[in-house]
Amino acid sequence: MAAACRLGLGGAGLALVGWLDLVGCSAGQSQPLQAVVLSIGDGDTIRVRQAGRSLTVRLACIDAPELAQSPYGAAARTYLRQRLPLGAPVTLDVHSTDRYGRLVAEVIGEINLGLALVEDGQAFAYRRYLEACEGRAYLDAEFRASRHRFGVWQEPGGIPRPWEVRRQRRS
């Protein structure tokens, strides 16, 4: 899995740049970070402890249903809680930070958690950001989940995409 700590900071996260440099994550290079799970926020956001710091991590390459997308948002969070228990060690393959200052990373426990979420129909491949990942693997996983009608694919064509739900909420 190719990591590429690409920083898309926008207005937030400038203090994180120096910290990422300290752990060896600067333009053109990256090192996976070892961390421990502190909590699960929703189906695509976790908190971890890494090198004595508490960090919020947005799982890269995927978009899980919003909690308001009942029952699918809660199901994605429950799935992630079951697959990633508190105190579990994880490896963070950091891609960037988002506009909220969260690390955007592929989270690897015993498996790639984002890919597992998509494979089991608990999240969508986030096409807008797949270039930072092995996009084909995420798209193939999504295809298999839709074919088997897992999770979000129980509805014909799948449920409304989380990015569409957020866009409608903003307008």
Side-chain angles (χ1 to χ4, degrees):
M1 187 171 318
C5 201
R6 296 176 253 316
L7 297 177
L9 295 174
L14 292 177
L16 192 56
V17 172
W19 181 77
L20 288 173
D21 284 339
L22 285 175
V23 296
C25 189
S26 59
Q29 69 181 42
S30 66
Q31 293 179 357
L33 304 177
Q34 302 305 310
V36 174
V37 176
L38 295 176
S39 65
I40 306 298
D42 57 22
D44 54 26
T45 309
I46 65 173
R47 292 213 33 98
V48 300
R49 177 152 318 279
Q50 199 284 323
R53 295 176 184 247
S54 178
L55 302 170
T56 302
V57 179
R58 169 69 163 79
L59 276 68
C61 316
I62 70 164
D63 203 4
E66 297 295 308
L67 291 172
Q69 289 182 269
S70 185
Y72 300 101
R77 179 173 56 186
T78 298
Y79 177 93
L80 195 52
R81 284 179 174 165
Q82 291 170 347
R83 298 297 297 258
L84 204 56
L86 303 184
V90 293
T91 300
L92 305 177
D93 186 359
V94 179
H95 293 273
S96 65
T97 59
D98 67 10
R99 63 184 173 177
Y100 305 109
R102 302 176 296 188
L103 287 182
V104 177
E106 289 181 272
V107 177
I108 315 298
E110 294 177 1
I111 58 170
N112 178 326
L113 276 300
L115 195 54
L117 280 155
V118 174
E119 182 84 38
D120 290 337
Q122 301 301 316
F124 296 94
Y126 205 173
R127 284 155 177 78
R128 182 174 175 186
Y129 299 104
L130 279 183
E131 74 282 348
C133 310
E134 293 186 33
R136 176 55 41 205
Y138 285 87
L139 293 171
D140 289 348
E142 186 178 273
F143 175 76
R144 287 188 297 274
S146 69
R147 190 179 65 211
H148 294 296
R149 301 181 61 85
F150 292 155
V152 298
W153 299 103
Q154 292 172 24
E155 302 283 333
I159 65 170
R161 305 312 188 254
W163 54 87
E164 294 168 352
V165 171
R166 289 189 301 272
R167 188 177 329 121
Q168 286 176 351
R169 219 177 19 212
R170 285 189 299 263
S171 56

